[in-house]
PDB file of all heavy atoms in Angstrom:
ATOM      1  N   ALA A   1       0.837  -1.211   0.000  1.00 97.00           N
ATOM      2  CA  ALA A   1       0.000   0.000   0.000  1.00 97.00           C
ATOM      3  C   ALA A   1       0.866   1.253   0.000  1.00 97.00           C
ATOM      4  O   ALA A   1       0.541   2.243  -0.674  1.00 97.00           O
ATOM      5  CB  ALA A   1      -0.930  -0.019   1.204  1.00 97.00           C
ATOM      6  N   ARG A   2       1.962   1.228   0.766  1.00 97.00           N
ATOM      7  CA  ARG A   2       2.861   2.392   0.798  1.00 97.00           C
ATOM      8  C   ARG A   2       3.523   2.598  -0.562  1.00 97.00           C
ATOM      9  O   ARG A   2       3.667   3.733  -1.037  1.00 97.00           O
ATOM     10  CB  ARG A   2       3.923   2.215   1.891  1.00 97.00           C
ATOM     11  CG  ARG A   2       3.408   2.475   3.287  1.00 97.00           C
ATOM     12  CD  ARG A   2       4.539   2.754   4.258  1.00 97.00           C
ATOM     13  NE  ARG A   2       5.462   1.641   4.394  1.00 97.00           N
ATOM     14  CZ  ARG A   2       5.380   0.721   5.341  1.00 97.00           C
ATOM     15  NH1 ARG A   2       4.406   0.783   6.248  1.00 97.00           N
ATOM     16  NH2 ARG A   2       6.271  -0.251   5.410  1.00 97.00           N
ATOM     17  N   THR A   3       3.916   1.496  -1.196  1.00 97.00           N
ATOM     18  CA  THR A   3       4.538   1.585  -2.515  1.00 97.00           C
ATOM     19  C   THR A   3       3.567   2.167  -3.539  1.00 97.00           C
ATOM     20  O   THR A   3       3.929   3.043  -4.333  1.00 97.00           O
ATOM     21  CB  THR A   3       5.010   0.195  -2.980  1.00 97.00           C
ATOM     22  OG1 THR A   3       6.008  -0.291  -2.080  1.00 97.00           O
ATOM     23  CG2 THR A   3       5.577   0.251  -4.392  1.00 97.00           C
ATOM     24  N   LYS A   4       2.329   1.691  -3.515  1.00 98.00           N
ATOM     25  CA  LYS A   4       1.309   2.186  -4.445  1.00 98.00           C
ATOM     26  C   LYS A   4       1.073   3.682  -4.237  1.00 98.00           C
ATOM     27  O   LYS A   4       0.993   4.459  -5.205  1.00 98.00           O
ATOM     28  CB  LYS A   4       0.010   1.410  -4.247  1.00 98.00           C
ATOM     29  CG  LYS A   4      -1.122   1.786  -5.206  1.00 98.00           C
ATOM     30  CD  LYS A   4      -2.315   0.846  -5.001  1.00 98.00           C
ATOM     31  CE  LYS A   4      -3.450   1.166  -5.987  1.00 98.00           C
ATOM     32  NZ  LYS A   4      -4.045   2.499  -5.711  1.00 98.00           N
ATOM     33  N   LEU A   5       0.978   4.096  -2.984  1.00 98.00           N
ATOM     34  CA  LEU A   5       0.751   5.511  -2.686  1.00 98.00           C
ATOM     35  C   LEU A   5       1.951   6.350  -3.120  1.00 98.00           C
ATOM     36  O   LEU A   5       1.779   7.447  -3.686  1.00 98.00           O
ATOM     37  CB  LEU A   5       0.490   5.693  -1.192  1.00 98.00           C
ATOM     38  CG  LEU A   5       0.242   7.125  -0.707  1.00 98.00           C
ATOM     39  CD1 LEU A   5      -0.916   7.772  -1.472  1.00 98.00           C
ATOM     40  CD2 LEU A   5      -0.022   7.146   0.794  1.00 98.00           C
ATOM     41  N   ALA A   6       3.164   5.858  -2.897  1.00 98.00           N
ATOM     42  CA  ALA A   6       4.360   6.590  -3.306  1.00 98.00           C
ATOM     43  C   ALA A   6       4.360   6.804  -4.818  1.00 98.00           C
ATOM     44  O   ALA A   6       4.670   7.903  -5.306  1.00 98.00           O
ATOM     45  CB  ALA A   6       5.614   5.818  -2.878  1.00 98.00           C
ATOM     46  N   GLN A   7       3.983   5.791  -5.574  1.00 98.00           N
ATOM     47  CA  GLN A   7       3.965   5.896  -7.032  1.00 98.00           C
ATOM     48  C   GLN A   7       2.885   6.874  -7.500  1.00 98.00           C
ATOM     49  O   GLN A   7       3.090   7.634  -8.453  1.00 98.00           O
ATOM     50  CB  GLN A   7       3.757   4.512  -7.637  1.00 98.00           C
ATOM     51  CG  GLN A   7       4.939   3.585  -7.417  1.00 98.00           C
ATOM     52  CD  GLN A   7       4.667   2.139  -7.775  1.00 98.00           C
ATOM     53  OE1 GLN A   7       3.496   1.711  -7.852  1.00 98.00           O
ATOM     54  NE2 GLN A   7       5.721   1.352  -7.993  1.00 98.00           N
ATOM     55  N   GLU A   8       1.757   6.871  -6.825  1.00 98.00           N
ATOM     56  CA  GLU A   8       0.692   7.809  -7.180  1.00 98.00           C
ATOM     57  C   GLU A   8       1.124   9.256  -6.911  1.00 98.00           C
ATOM     58  O   GLU A   8       0.902  10.148  -7.740  1.00 98.00           O
ATOM     59  CB  GLU A   8      -0.577   7.483  -6.379  1.00 98.00           C
ATOM     60  CG  GLU A   8      -1.246   6.173  -6.788  1.00 98.00           C
ATOM     61  CD  GLU A   8      -2.398   5.786  -5.868  1.00 98.00           C
ATOM     62  OE1 GLU A   8      -2.572   6.482  -4.832  1.00 98.00           O
ATOM     63  OE2 GLU A   8      -3.098   4.799  -6.160  1.00 98.00           O
ATOM     64  N   LEU A   9       1.734   9.498  -5.761  1.00 98.00           N
ATOM     65  CA  LEU A   9       2.187  10.850  -5.418  1.00 98.00           C
ATOM     66  C   LEU A   9       3.294  11.312  -6.363  1.00 98.00           C
ATOM     67  O   LEU A   9       3.362  12.485  -6.741  1.00 98.00           O
ATOM     68  CB  LEU A   9       2.684  10.874  -3.971  1.00 98.00           C
ATOM     69  CG  LEU A   9       1.609  10.699  -2.897  1.00 98.00           C
ATOM     70  CD1 LEU A   9       2.256  10.517  -1.528  1.00 98.00           C
ATOM     71  CD2 LEU A   9       0.656  11.896  -2.878  1.00 98.00           C
ATOM     72  N   TYR A  10       4.158  10.389  -6.765  1.00 98.00           N
ATOM     73  CA  TYR A  10       5.240  10.697  -7.700  1.00 98.00           C
ATOM     74  C   TYR A  10       4.657  11.136  -9.044  1.00 98.00           C
ATOM     75  O   TYR A  10       5.095  12.137  -9.641  1.00 98.00           O
ATOM     76  CB  TYR A  10       6.113   9.450  -7.857  1.00 98.00           C
ATOM     77  CG  TYR A  10       7.330   9.606  -8.726  1.00 98.00           C
ATOM     78  CD1 TYR A  10       8.408  10.387  -8.323  1.00 98.00           C
ATOM     79  CD2 TYR A  10       7.429   8.920  -9.950  1.00 98.00           C
ATOM     80  CE1 TYR A  10       9.550  10.498  -9.102  1.00 98.00           C
ATOM     81  CE2 TYR A  10       8.564   9.019 -10.742  1.00 98.00           C
ATOM     82  CZ  TYR A  10       9.626   9.814 -10.312  1.00 98.00           C
ATOM     83  OH  TYR A  10      10.758   9.912 -11.095  1.00 98.00           O
ATOM     84  N   ALA A  11       3.637  10.414  -9.508  1.00 97.00           N
ATOM     85  CA  ALA A  11       2.994  10.757 -10.779  1.00 97.00           C
ATOM     86  C   ALA A  11       2.267  12.090 -10.677  1.00 97.00           C
ATOM     87  O   ALA A  11       2.318  12.923 -11.599  1.00 97.00           O
ATOM     88  CB  ALA A  11       2.030   9.646 -11.192  1.00 97.00           C
ATOM     89  N   GLU A  12       1.581  12.333  -9.563  1.00 97.00           N
ATOM     90  CA  GLU A  12       0.868  13.594  -9.359  1.00 97.00           C
ATOM     91  C   GLU A  12       1.828  14.775  -9.274  1.00 97.00           C
ATOM     92  O   GLU A  12       1.428  15.923  -9.517  1.00 97.00           O
ATOM     93  CB  GLU A  12       0.025  13.517  -8.088  1.00 97.00           C
ATOM     94  CG  GLU A  12      -1.159  12.560  -8.192  1.00 97.00           C
ATOM     95  CD  GLU A  12      -1.867  12.353  -6.862  1.00 97.00           C
ATOM     96  OE1 GLU A  12      -1.576  13.119  -5.915  1.00 97.00           O
ATOM     97  OE2 GLU A  12      -2.685  11.426  -6.765  1.00 97.00           O
ATOM     98  N   SER A  13       3.090  14.496  -8.960  1.00 96.00           N
ATOM     99  CA  SER A  13       4.105  15.556  -8.891  1.00 96.00           C
ATOM    100  C   SER A  13       4.686  15.882 -10.259  1.00 96.00           C
ATOM    101  O   SER A  13       5.517  16.788 -10.382  1.00 96.00           O
ATOM    102  CB  SER A  13       5.239  15.130  -7.951  1.00 96.00           C
ATOM    103  OG  SER A  13       4.750  14.883  -6.650  1.00 96.00           O
ATOM    104  N   GLY A  14       4.262  15.130 -11.274  1.00 95.00           N
ATOM    105  CA  GLY A  14       4.718  15.422 -12.631  1.00 95.00           C
ATOM    106  C   GLY A  14       5.856  14.551 -13.122  1.00 95.00           C
ATOM    107  O   GLY A  14       6.489  14.865 -14.134  1.00 95.00           O
ATOM    108  N   TYR A  15       6.127  13.451 -12.434  1.00 96.00           N
ATOM    109  CA  TYR A  15       7.242  12.584 -12.819  1.00 96.00           C
ATOM    110  C   TYR A  15       6.731  11.192 -13.151  1.00 96.00           C
ATOM    111  O   TYR A  15       5.681  10.759 -12.680  1.00 96.00           O
ATOM    112  CB  TYR A  15       8.285  12.508 -11.706  1.00 96.00           C
ATOM    113  CG  TYR A  15       8.938  13.842 -11.421  1.00 96.00           C
ATOM    114  CD1 TYR A  15       8.464  14.675 -10.398  1.00 96.00           C
ATOM    115  CD2 TYR A  15      10.018  14.281 -12.182  1.00 96.00           C
ATOM    116  CE1 TYR A  15       9.050  15.903 -10.155  1.00 96.00           C
ATOM    117  CE2 TYR A  15      10.616  15.510 -11.944  1.00 96.00           C
ATOM    118  CZ  TYR A  15      10.130  16.322 -10.926  1.00 96.00           C
ATOM    119  OH  TYR A  15      10.702  17.538 -10.691  1.00 96.00           O
ATOM    120  N   GLY A  16       7.498  10.499 -13.978  1.00 95.00           N
ATOM    121  CA  GLY A  16       7.135   9.142 -14.378  1.00 95.00           C
ATOM    122  C   GLY A  16       8.225   8.534 -15.237  1.00 95.00           C
ATOM    123  O   GLY A  16       9.333   9.080 -15.343  1.00 95.00           O
ATOM    124  N   ALA A  17       7.896   7.414 -15.897  1.00 93.00           N
ATOM    125  CA  ALA A  17       8.895   6.712 -16.706  1.00 93.00           C
ATOM    126  C   ALA A  17       9.434   7.584 -17.831  1.00 93.00           C
ATOM    127  O   ALA A  17      10.615   7.507 -18.202  1.00 93.00           O
ATOM    128  CB  ALA A  17       8.288   5.432 -17.275  1.00 93.00           C
ATOM    129  N   ASP A  18       8.560   8.437 -18.408  1.00 94.00           N
ATOM    130  CA  ASP A  18       8.992   9.299 -19.505  1.00 94.00           C
ATOM    131  C   ASP A  18       9.632  10.590 -19.012  1.00 94.00           C
ATOM    132  O   ASP A  18      10.225  11.338 -19.787  1.00 94.00           O
ATOM    133  CB  ASP A  18       7.799   9.631 -20.416  1.00 94.00           C
ATOM    134  CG  ASP A  18       6.668  10.303 -19.639  1.00 94.00           C
ATOM    135  OD1 ASP A  18       6.631  10.150 -18.391  1.00 94.00           O
ATOM    136  OD2 ASP A  18       5.828  10.959 -20.285  1.00 94.00           O
ATOM    137  N   LYS A  19       9.527  10.856 -17.714  1.00 95.00           N
ATOM    138  CA  LYS A  19      10.134  12.048 -17.119  1.00 95.00           C
ATOM    139  C   LYS A  19      10.618  11.703 -15.703  1.00 95.00           C
ATOM    140  O   LYS A  19      10.049  12.109 -14.712  1.00 95.00           O
ATOM    141  CB  LYS A  19       9.132  13.202 -17.053  1.00 95.00           C
ATOM    142  CG  LYS A  19       9.738  14.506 -16.533  1.00 95.00           C
ATOM    143  CD  LYS A  19       8.681  15.581 -16.353  1.00 95.00           C
ATOM    144  CE  LYS A  19       9.274  16.827 -15.724  1.00 95.00           C
ATOM    145  NZ  LYS A  19       8.238  17.867 -15.455  1.00 95.00           N
ATOM    146  N   PRO A  20      11.721  10.937 -15.608  1.00 96.00           N
ATOM    147  CA  PRO A  20      12.214  10.535 -14.291  1.00 96.00           C
ATOM    148  C   PRO A  20      12.874  11.692 -13.549  1.00 96.00           C
ATOM    149  O   PRO A  20      13.467  12.588 -14.162  1.00 96.00           O
ATOM    150  CB  PRO A  20      13.226   9.440 -14.614  1.00 96.00           C
ATOM    151  CG  PRO A  20      13.719   9.788 -15.979  1.00 96.00           C
ATOM    152  CD  PRO A  20      12.526  10.368 -16.703  1.00 96.00           C
ATOM    153  N   LEU A  21      12.738  11.672 -12.268  1.00 97.00           N
ATOM    154  CA  LEU A  21      13.389  12.669 -11.421  1.00 97.00           C
ATOM    155  C   LEU A  21      14.869  12.334 -11.287  1.00 97.00           C
ATOM    156  O   LEU A  21      15.238  11.172 -11.112  1.00 97.00           O
ATOM    157  CB  LEU A  21      12.741  12.669 -10.029  1.00 97.00           C
ATOM    158  CG  LEU A  21      13.379  13.569  -8.956  1.00 97.00           C
ATOM    159  CD1 LEU A  21      13.203  15.042  -9.318  1.00 97.00           C
ATOM    160  CD2 LEU A  21      12.775  13.272  -7.583  1.00 97.00           C
ATOM    161  N   GLY A  22      15.722  13.343 -11.393  1.00 97.00           N
ATOM    162  CA  GLY A  22      17.152  13.167 -11.172  1.00 97.00           C
ATOM    163  C   GLY A  22      17.561  13.825  -9.863  1.00 97.00           C
ATOM    164  O   GLY A  22      17.224  14.986  -9.626  1.00 97.00           O
ATOM    165  N   LEU A  23      18.250  13.078  -9.001  1.00 97.00           N
ATOM    166  CA  LEU A  23      18.641  13.597  -7.697  1.00 97.00           C
ATOM    167  C   LEU A  23      20.110  13.291  -7.402  1.00 97.00           C
ATOM    168  O   LEU A  23      20.711  12.404  -8.009  1.00 97.00           O
ATOM    169  CB  LEU A  23      17.798  12.970  -6.578  1.00 97.00           C
ATOM    170  CG  LEU A  23      16.347  13.411  -6.438  1.00 97.00           C
ATOM    171  CD1 LEU A  23      15.706  12.676  -5.266  1.00 97.00           C
ATOM    172  CD2 LEU A  23      16.252  14.915  -6.226  1.00 97.00           C
ATOM    173  N   GLU A  24      20.648  14.022  -6.430  1.00 98.00           N
ATOM    174  CA  GLU A  24      21.986  13.746  -5.929  1.00 98.00           C
ATOM    175  C   GLU A  24      21.926  13.726  -4.404  1.00 98.00           C
ATOM    176  O   GLU A  24      21.354  14.613  -3.783  1.00 98.00           O
ATOM    177  CB  GLU A  24      22.979  14.808  -6.387  1.00 98.00           C
ATOM    178  CG  GLU A  24      24.399  14.564  -5.885  1.00 98.00           C
ATOM    179  CD  GLU A  24      25.363  15.654  -6.323  1.00 98.00           C
ATOM    180  OE1 GLU A  24      25.315  16.748  -5.719  1.00 98.00           O
ATOM    181  OE2 GLU A  24      26.159  15.405  -7.255  1.00 98.00           O
ATOM    182  N   ILE A  25      22.503  12.683  -3.809  1.00 98.00           N
ATOM    183  CA  ILE A  25      22.586  12.566  -2.358  1.00 98.00           C
ATOM    184  C   ILE A  25      23.995  12.958  -1.927  1.00 98.00           C
ATOM    185  O   ILE A  25      24.981  12.397  -2.408  1.00 98.00           O
ATOM    186  CB  ILE A  25      22.298  11.135  -1.869  1.00 98.00           C
ATOM    187  CG1 ILE A  25      20.872  10.713  -2.231  1.00 98.00           C
ATOM    188  CG2 ILE A  25      22.513  11.025  -0.363  1.00 98.00           C
ATOM    189  CD1 ILE A  25      20.583   9.253  -1.911  1.00 98.00           C
ATOM    190  N   LEU A  26      24.087  13.919  -1.027  1.00 98.00           N
ATOM    191  CA  LEU A  26      25.367  14.321  -0.448  1.00 98.00           C
ATOM    192  C   LEU A  26      25.514  13.666   0.922  1.00 98.00           C
ATOM    193  O   LEU A  26      24.583  13.684   1.731  1.00 98.00           O
ATOM    194  CB  LEU A  26      25.421  15.848  -0.288  1.00 98.00           C
ATOM    195  CG  LEU A  26      26.583  16.411   0.547  1.00 98.00           C
ATOM    196  CD1 LEU A  26      27.924  16.121  -0.126  1.00 98.00           C
ATOM    197  CD2 LEU A  26      26.393  17.909   0.780  1.00 98.00           C
ATOM    198  N   TYR A  27      26.682  13.068   1.175  1.00 97.00           N
ATOM    199  CA  TYR A  27      26.930  12.491   2.495  1.00 97.00           C
ATOM    200  C   TYR A  27      28.396  12.704   2.863  1.00 97.00           C
ATOM    201  O   TYR A  27      29.255  12.822   1.991  1.00 97.00           O
ATOM    202  CB  TYR A  27      26.580  10.998   2.538  1.00 97.00           C
ATOM    203  CG  TYR A  27      27.401  10.118   1.617  1.00 97.00           C
ATOM    204  CD1 TYR A  27      28.565   9.495   2.060  1.00 97.00           C
ATOM    205  CD2 TYR A  27      27.005   9.902   0.291  1.00 97.00           C
ATOM    206  CE1 TYR A  27      29.312   8.679   1.227  1.00 97.00           C
ATOM    207  CE2 TYR A  27      27.750   9.090  -0.550  1.00 97.00           C
ATOM    208  CZ  TYR A  27      28.898   8.483  -0.079  1.00 97.00           C
ATOM    209  OH  TYR A  27      29.643   7.692  -0.919  1.00 97.00           O
ATOM    210  N   ASN A  28      28.676  12.792   4.151  1.00 95.00           N
ATOM    211  CA  ASN A  28      30.062  12.906   4.586  1.00 95.00           C
ATOM    212  C   ASN A  28      30.720  11.532   4.548  1.00 95.00           C
ATOM    213  O   ASN A  28      30.091  10.501   4.763  1.00 95.00           O
ATOM    214  CB  ASN A  28      30.167  13.516   5.988  1.00 95.00           C
ATOM    215  CG  ASN A  28      29.411  12.739   7.036  1.00 95.00           C
ATOM    216  OD1 ASN A  28      28.193  12.664   6.980  1.00 95.00           O
ATOM    217  ND2 ASN A  28      30.119  12.165   8.002  1.00 95.00           N
ATOM    218  N   THR A  29      32.016  11.530   4.250  1.00 91.00           N
ATOM    219  CA  THR A  29      32.757  10.302   4.023  1.00 91.00           C
ATOM    220  C   THR A  29      32.618   9.332   5.189  1.00 91.00           C
ATOM    221  O   THR A  29      32.940   9.648   6.330  1.00 91.00           O
ATOM    222  CB  THR A  29      34.251  10.615   3.801  1.00 91.00           C
ATOM    223  OG1 THR A  29      34.373  11.512   2.693  1.00 91.00           O
ATOM    224  CG2 THR A  29      35.028   9.340   3.502  1.00 91.00           C
TER     225      THR A  29
END
């Protein structure tokens, strides 16, 4: 259920297979 909701919110945010979100994670060594 959490996975389904996450995918729905992701799509409602304007992202999907044809427009994937690109991110960068910064972390200390």
Side-chain angles (χ1 to χ4, degrees):
R2 283 199 298 265
T3 297
K4 183 174 182 293
L5 180 56
Q7 292 169 340
E8 291 173 353
L9 291 171
Y10 183 69
E12 291 172 12
S13 300
Y15 296 95
D18 58 339
K19 184 186 175 184
L21 175 67
L23 287 180
E24 180 182 76
I25 298 174
L26 169 64
Y27 63 92
N28 58 295
T29 302

